[in-house]
Amino acid sequence: MSRRRKGRTGGIGRRFLAPVLCCALLAGLLCGCGQTEIPSATRDIFAMDTYMTLTCYGEHAEEALARAVEEIHRLDDLLSTGKADSEVSRLNAEGGGPVSLQTQTMIEEALRVYRRTEGAFDITVYPLMELWGFTGDSPAVPDEEALRTCLEKVGADRLKLSGDMLTMGEGQAIDLGAIAKGYTSARLMQIFGEYELTSAIVSLGGNVQCFGTKPDGSLWRCGIREPEGDGYFGVVQAADKAVITSGGYERFFEEAGQTYHHILDPRTGQPARAGLISATVVSENGMLADALSTACYVMGLEDSADYWREYGAEQGGTFELILMTEDEEVWITEGLKEAFTTECPLHVITAEGVE
Ligand code: ADP
Ligand code: MG
């Protein structure tokens, strides 16, 4: 199986180094940190099955960084389906039970996005992920009968969350993989606030969230990765934002000349093919941006644009989109007109239609 930024298997050298280096370049070169006296600290780690880079600026940069790394590992231990003793694994083994506040927060958000996307985003997708073998190292196309049976287990409408008590339907299992890294980067921003950092930027497997501006007061420049190739197809300038991308290129395998990737349409059980090759969400809310980047990838251009028109300006949950279609044209929502630059053909989604 190919993993662009995932590392459990070998062969990640170049694919891993490119984004990490670029992130370091973006964080270092573009921040003008050579001209400032502000203490800084940076670290690369491997957690949540991906490579991460964290860079902090402020009097307490080192302490904030240490606390952030500790928090990432704590959340990884809580949320990983790959760890038998994680909270999520316990919930899956026992068909539910009491959940921690963090897990409760993520499930509540996931259920909201599930309802609003009419099931395009669905954390009960886990049995399908297992059936396709995406949870292990030898994925393969399942047979139709097995897929049909498995699909019966999928449907977040059968999850019941009352307070901190979760119950699941027969045979159901959850996977917070589409929301966990965004939740984590949002948590890191809280920590950075507590340590009174002046600036910070984290890249959790390519999911970027920035705290404040660059140390020199200018905006961060976040590159959006090319689905094919190691470069970037556009740049967003941002402060205090998460910039989170989903794409089938992140993790996939080939069988009989066909490519199959890890973002599934929970309604068909097949890898989502709605005409997008990359979906990015820009928002102050990292958890929302992560859930929506996956949801938009599954929904495709038209439904994502409608979703933005309906919910994009909601209080506490404003977001903007950068979508790339299979023909490598880019569609952004109106709010990014000034902040986003690309050399690709560009269209602007507005409240009324398309510009
Ligand atoms: P990545 O984790 O690769 O950055 P995403 O945020 O898009 O990308 O999350 C993909 C993960 O989400 C998959 O590995 C799987 O665990 C889970 N997933 C796949 N399809 C869906 C879906 N339709 N709804 C919710 N979760 C999904
Ligand atoms: Mg996601």
Side-chain angles (χ1 to χ4, degrees):
M1 175 167 34
S2 300
R3 293 154 192 261
R4 272 264 164 108
R5 284 172 230 158
K6 318 285 170 175
R8 250 189 310 185
T9 51
I12 42 111
R14 204 166 64 93
R15 294 205 180 286
F16 153 55
L17 276 177
V20 169
L21 281 179
C22 288
C23 184
L25 284 175
L26 286 175
L29 280 183
L30 303 169
C31 74
C33 53
Q35 301 141 26
T36 159
E37 301 290 310
I38 304 171
S40 69
T42 187
R43 192 157 341 151
D44 296 329
I45 62 164
F46 184 81
M48 300 187 171
D49 203 20
T50 194
Y51 288 93
M52 304 182 169
T53 303
L54 292 80
T55 304
C56 299
Y57 300 88
E59 283 304 315
H60 305 292
E62 285 288 354
E63 294 141 85
L65 188 64
R67 177 73 193 87
V69 169
E70 188 184 281
E71 183 69 354
I72 289 170
H73 290 304
R74 195 182 68 78
L75 289 171
D76 194 8
D77 289 345
L78 193 72
L79 304 173
S80 172
T81 51
K83 298 185 179 183
D85 56 354
S86 72
E87 182 177 67
V88 168
S89 294
R90 174 185 52 80
L91 292 167
N92 287 342
E94 295 172 6
V99 298
S100 63
L101 188 59
Q102 295 95 315
T103 304
Q104 183 183 335
T105 305
M106 274 176 267
I107 296 175
E108 280 166 359
E109 183 68 39
L111 290 177
R112 184 163 37 245
V113 178
Y114 166 79
R115 285 188 292 268
R116 291 178 169 188
T117 61
E118 289 162 19
F121 184 85
D122 190 337
I123 53 169
T124 66
V125 77
Y126 192 62
L128 285 171
M129 295 301 291
E130 280 192 303
L131 181 69
W132 279 88
F134 282 113
T135 52
D137 282 327
S138 35
V141 179
D143 74 60
E144 277 181 30
E145 183 55 32
L147 194 66
R148 249 197 312 276
T149 314
C150 190
L151 265 176
E152 288 167 15
K153 299 179 190 162
V154 178
D157 50 338
R158 272 170 284 149
L159 293 182
K160 297 274 171 299
L161 184 68
S162 46
D164 69 348
M165 190 54 75
L166 177 72
T167 54
M168 308 187 200
E170 182 69 28
Q172 288 199 307
I174 59 167
D175 175 356
L176 298 176
I179 191 169
K181 278 181 277 161
Y183 176 86
T184 303
S185 62
R187 245 317 269 144
L188 300 184
M189 300 303 119
Q190 282 179 344
I191 291 171
F192 297 159
E194 286 158 20
Y195 283 86
E196 299 177 349
L197 295 189
T198 49
S199 308
I201 189 160
V202 300
S203 169
L204 313 187
N207 289 352
V208 172
Q209 189 157 359
C210 55
F211 180 84
T213 60
K214 289 192 282 185
D216 67 2
S218 63
L219 297 172
W220 296 100
R221 293 167 53 82
C222 305
I224 313 295
R225 206 188 147 86
E226 279 173 348
E228 315 239 341
D230 285 332
Y232 293 86
F233 72 78
V235 173
V236 188
Q237 303 215 57
D240 286 312
K241 291 277 186 324
V243 180
I244 295 187
T245 303
S246 284
Y249 59 86
E250 291 271 6
R251 193 180 291 214
F252 60 90
F253 68 95
E254 281 166 11
E255 195 176 300
Q258 272 269 14
T259 302
Y260 300 91
H261 57 71
H262 72 310
I263 303 175
L264 302 179
D265 186 328
R267 299 157 302 189
T268 63
Q270 300 287 339
R273 276 191 222 308
L276 296 179
I277 49 176
S278 170
T280 299
V281 179
V282 180
S283 174
E284 269 179 40
N285 182 338
M287 173 173 66
L288 177 77
D290 197 0
L292 288 185
S293 70
T294 310
C296 287
Y297 188 84
V298 178
M299 287 194 291
L301 178 62
E302 299 294 330
D303 286 359
S304 298
D306 285 343
Y307 195 97
W308 172 79
R309 290 187 187 107
E310 189 158 1
Y311 303 111
E314 203 168 63
Q315 211 188 354
T318 44
F319 67 89
E320 303 289 340
L321 303 175
I322 303 162
L323 308 171
M324 184 183 253
T325 47
E326 279 161 355
D327 55 5
E328 301 198 349
E329 301 213 346
V330 178
W331 303 70
I332 59 169
T333 51
E334 224 172 356
L336 289 176
K337 256 166 107 173
E338 304 301 318
F340 181 74
T341 46
T342 184
E343 304 214 322
C344 297
L346 185 66
H347 311 270
V348 179
I349 298 165
T350 65
E352 295 78 35
V354 172
E355 223 169 73

mmCIF file of all heavy atoms in Angstrom, residues 9 15 36-37 78 91 103 108 110 152-153 160-161 205 217 220 228 275 306 329:
data_model
loop_
_atom_site.group_PDB
_atom_site.id
_atom_site.type_symbol
_atom_site.label_atom_id
_atom_site.label_comp_id
_atom_site.label_asym_id
_atom_site.label_seq_id
_atom_site.Cartn_x
_atom_site.Cartn_y
_atom_site.Cartn_z
ATOM 1 N N THR A 9 5.067 1.523 6.942
ATOM 2 C CA THR A 9 5.825 0.703 6.015
ATOM 3 C C THR A 9 7.052 1.469 5.550
ATOM 4 O O THR A 9 7.210 2.637 5.843
ATOM 5 C CB THR A 9 4.949 0.359 4.804
ATOM 6 O OG1 THR A 9 4.409 1.567 4.324
ATOM 7 C CG2 THR A 9 3.847 -0.589 5.182
ATOM 8 N N ARG A 15 9.077 10.809 -0.023
ATOM 9 C CA ARG A 15 7.712 11.298 0.138
ATOM 10 C C ARG A 15 7.536 11.981 1.495
ATOM 11 O O ARG A 15 6.796 12.906 1.640
ATOM 12 C CB ARG A 15 6.720 10.149 0.017
ATOM 13 C CG ARG A 15 6.699 9.572 -1.354
ATOM 14 C CD ARG A 15 5.368 8.925 -1.611
ATOM 15 N NE ARG A 15 5.286 8.354 -2.919
ATOM 16 C CZ ARG A 15 5.164 9.074 -4.022
ATOM 17 N NH1 ARG A 15 5.132 10.379 -3.956
ATOM 18 N NH2 ARG A 15 5.076 8.489 -5.190
ATOM 19 N N THR A 36 14.580 38.022 14.400
ATOM 20 C CA THR A 36 13.890 38.292 15.652
ATOM 21 C C THR A 36 14.613 37.652 16.833
ATOM 22 O O THR A 36 15.336 36.684 16.677
ATOM 23 C CB THR A 36 12.419 37.820 15.575
ATOM 24 O OG1 THR A 36 11.957 37.648 16.886
ATOM 25 C CG2 THR A 36 12.279 36.535 14.825
ATOM 26 N N GLU A 37 14.375 38.213 18.000
ATOM 27 C CA GLU A 37 15.028 37.729 19.211
ATOM 28 C C GLU A 37 14.158 36.711 19.934
ATOM 29 O O GLU A 37 14.563 36.164 20.935
ATOM 30 C CB GLU A 37 15.278 38.907 20.163
ATOM 31 C CG GLU A 37 16.152 40.014 19.589
ATOM 32 C CD GLU A 37 17.586 39.558 19.428
ATOM 33 O OE1 GLU A 37 18.136 39.014 20.414
ATOM 34 O OE2 GLU A 37 18.149 39.702 18.329
ATOM 35 N N LEU A 78 -5.378 7.489 23.211
ATOM 36 C CA LEU A 78 -6.815 7.483 23.486
ATOM 37 C C LEU A 78 -7.624 7.090 22.242
ATOM 38 O O LEU A 78 -8.626 6.381 22.319
ATOM 39 C CB LEU A 78 -7.211 8.907 23.906
ATOM 40 C CG LEU A 78 -8.561 9.154 24.534
ATOM 41 C CD1 LEU A 78 -8.578 8.589 25.950
ATOM 42 C CD2 LEU A 78 -8.851 10.664 24.574
ATOM 43 N N LEU A 91 -14.232 0.921 23.224
ATOM 44 C CA LEU A 91 -15.619 1.187 22.818
ATOM 45 C C LEU A 91 -16.037 0.202 21.726
ATOM 46 O O LEU A 91 -17.147 -0.341 21.751
ATOM 47 C CB LEU A 91 -15.768 2.621 22.303
ATOM 48 C CG LEU A 91 -15.604 3.730 23.344
ATOM 49 C CD1 LEU A 91 -15.457 5.095 22.661
ATOM 50 C CD2 LEU A 91 -16.795 3.751 24.311
ATOM 51 N N THR A 103 -13.303 12.534 23.520
ATOM 52 C CA THR A 103 -13.970 11.644 22.569
ATOM 53 C C THR A 103 -15.421 12.079 22.376
ATOM 54 O O THR A 103 -15.941 12.077 21.256
ATOM 55 C CB THR A 103 -13.872 10.187 23.074
ATOM 56 O OG1 THR A 103 -12.493 9.890 23.263
ATOM 57 C CG2 THR A 103 -14.455 9.206 22.072
ATOM 58 N N GLU A 108 -19.686 14.111 19.005
ATOM 59 C CA GLU A 108 -20.781 15.080 18.805
ATOM 60 C C GLU A 108 -20.614 15.826 17.482
ATOM 61 O O GLU A 108 -21.550 15.973 16.702
ATOM 62 C CB GLU A 108 -20.841 16.073 19.969
ATOM 63 C CG GLU A 108 -21.544 15.490 21.181
ATOM 64 C CD GLU A 108 -21.330 16.318 22.455
ATOM 65 O OE1 GLU A 108 -20.624 17.343 22.414
ATOM 66 O OE2 GLU A 108 -21.875 15.904 23.504
ATOM 67 N N ALA A 110 -18.831 14.836 14.914
ATOM 68 C CA ALA A 110 -18.952 13.863 13.820
ATOM 69 C C ALA A 110 -20.422 13.573 13.505
ATOM 70 O O ALA A 110 -20.805 13.451 12.336
ATOM 71 C CB ALA A 110 -18.227 12.566 14.189
ATOM 72 N N GLU A 152 -24.224 -3.220 6.085
ATOM 73 C CA GLU A 152 -25.345 -3.221 7.035
ATOM 74 C C GLU A 152 -24.917 -2.710 8.413
ATOM 75 O O GLU A 152 -25.750 -2.263 9.194
ATOM 76 C CB GLU A 152 -25.927 -4.644 7.168
ATOM 77 C CG GLU A 152 -26.703 -5.046 5.926
ATOM 78 C CD GLU A 152 -27.025 -6.546 5.895
ATOM 79 O OE1 GLU A 152 -26.902 -7.208 6.944
ATOM 80 O OE2 GLU A 152 -27.392 -7.019 4.798
ATOM 81 N N LYS A 153 -23.632 -2.779 8.694
ATOM 82 C CA LYS A 153 -23.149 -2.322 10.012
ATOM 83 C C LYS A 153 -22.922 -0.814 10.034
ATOM 84 O O LYS A 153 -22.664 -0.232 11.087
ATOM 85 C CB LYS A 153 -21.824 -3.017 10.350
ATOM 86 C CG LYS A 153 -21.934 -4.523 10.440
ATOM 87 C CD LYS A 153 -20.560 -5.082 10.740
ATOM 88 C CE LYS A 153 -20.548 -6.602 10.595
ATOM 89 N NZ LYS A 153 -19.181 -7.110 10.453
ATOM 90 N N LYS A 160 -25.805 6.159 19.654
ATOM 91 C CA LYS A 160 -26.546 7.001 20.600
ATOM 92 C C LYS A 160 -25.546 7.552 21.609
ATOM 93 O O LYS A 160 -24.841 6.795 22.263
ATOM 94 C CB LYS A 160 -27.595 6.184 21.363
ATOM 95 C CG LYS A 160 -28.686 5.573 20.478
ATOM 96 C CD LYS A 160 -29.836 6.539 20.221
ATOM 97 C CE LYS A 160 -30.807 6.030 19.170
ATOM 98 N NZ LYS A 160 -30.238 5.801 17.818
ATOM 99 N N LEU A 161 -25.506 8.856 21.679
ATOM 100 C CA LEU A 161 -24.608 9.481 22.650
ATOM 101 C C LEU A 161 -25.466 10.299 23.584
ATOM 102 O O LEU A 161 -26.077 11.290 23.180
ATOM 103 C CB LEU A 161 -23.599 10.377 21.912
ATOM 104 C CG LEU A 161 -22.533 11.025 22.777
ATOM 105 C CD1 LEU A 161 -21.558 9.985 23.342
ATOM 106 C CD2 LEU A 161 -21.745 12.067 21.972
ATOM 107 N N GLY A 205 1.020 15.539 9.734
ATOM 108 C CA GLY A 205 0.841 14.783 8.491
ATOM 109 C C GLY A 205 0.291 15.656 7.376
ATOM 110 O O GLY A 205 -0.550 15.217 6.598
ATOM 111 N N GLY A 217 5.078 39.295 12.266
ATOM 112 C CA GLY A 217 3.759 39.927 12.148
ATOM 113 C C GLY A 217 3.067 39.692 10.809
ATOM 114 O O GLY A 217 1.897 40.023 10.643
ATOM 115 N N TRP A 220 1.194 33.611 7.838
ATOM 116 C CA TRP A 220 1.814 32.332 7.475
ATOM 117 C C TRP A 220 1.439 32.008 6.039
ATOM 118 O O TRP A 220 0.348 32.381 5.593
ATOM 119 C CB TRP A 220 1.291 31.202 8.363
ATOM 120 C CG TRP A 220 1.630 31.339 9.799
ATOM 121 C CD1 TRP A 220 0.809 31.794 10.780
ATOM 122 C CD2 TRP A 220 2.870 31.012 10.439
ATOM 123 N NE1 TRP A 220 1.464 31.774 11.991
ATOM 124 C CE2 TRP A 220 2.723 31.295 11.809
ATOM 125 C CE3 TRP A 220 4.082 30.494 9.987
ATOM 126 C CZ2 TRP A 220 3.745 31.087 12.729
ATOM 127 C CZ3 TRP A 220 5.100 30.290 10.897
ATOM 128 C CH2 TRP A 220 4.932 30.589 12.250
ATOM 129 N N GLU A 228 -0.723 14.914 -7.377
ATOM 130 C CA GLU A 228 0.303 14.134 -8.086
ATOM 131 C C GLU A 228 1.582 14.952 -8.049
ATOM 132 O O GLU A 228 1.594 16.087 -8.502
ATOM 133 C CB GLU A 228 -0.099 13.930 -9.542
ATOM 134 C CG GLU A 228 -1.535 13.518 -9.711
ATOM 135 C CD GLU A 228 -1.687 12.200 -10.420
ATOM 136 O OE1 GLU A 228 -0.737 11.784 -11.086
ATOM 137 O OE2 GLU A 228 -2.773 11.612 -10.302
ATOM 138 N N GLY A 275 -15.354 13.171 -8.081
ATOM 139 C CA GLY A 275 -14.790 14.143 -9.019
ATOM 140 C C GLY A 275 -13.720 15.052 -8.441
ATOM 141 O O GLY A 275 -13.133 15.846 -9.163
ATOM 142 N N ASP A 306 -22.679 23.754 -1.939
ATOM 143 C CA ASP A 306 -23.965 23.966 -1.261
ATOM 144 C C ASP A 306 -23.803 23.918 0.260
ATOM 145 O O ASP A 306 -24.434 24.688 0.987
ATOM 146 C CB ASP A 306 -24.984 22.905 -1.705
ATOM 147 C CG ASP A 306 -25.496 23.193 -3.110
ATOM 148 O OD1 ASP A 306 -25.322 24.334 -3.593
ATOM 149 O OD2 ASP A 306 -26.058 22.265 -3.735
ATOM 150 N N GLU A 329 -8.529 21.692 -12.147
ATOM 151 C CA GLU A 329 -8.990 23.073 -11.986
ATOM 152 C C GLU A 329 -9.313 23.268 -10.508
ATOM 153 O O GLU A 329 -9.669 22.316 -9.807
ATOM 154 C CB GLU A 329 -10.226 23.318 -12.854
ATOM 155 C CG GLU A 329 -9.926 23.057 -14.320
ATOM 156 C CD GLU A 329 -10.672 23.939 -15.285
ATOM 157 O OE1 GLU A 329 -11.644 24.601 -14.874
ATOM 158 O OE2 GLU A 329 -10.268 23.953 -16.459
#
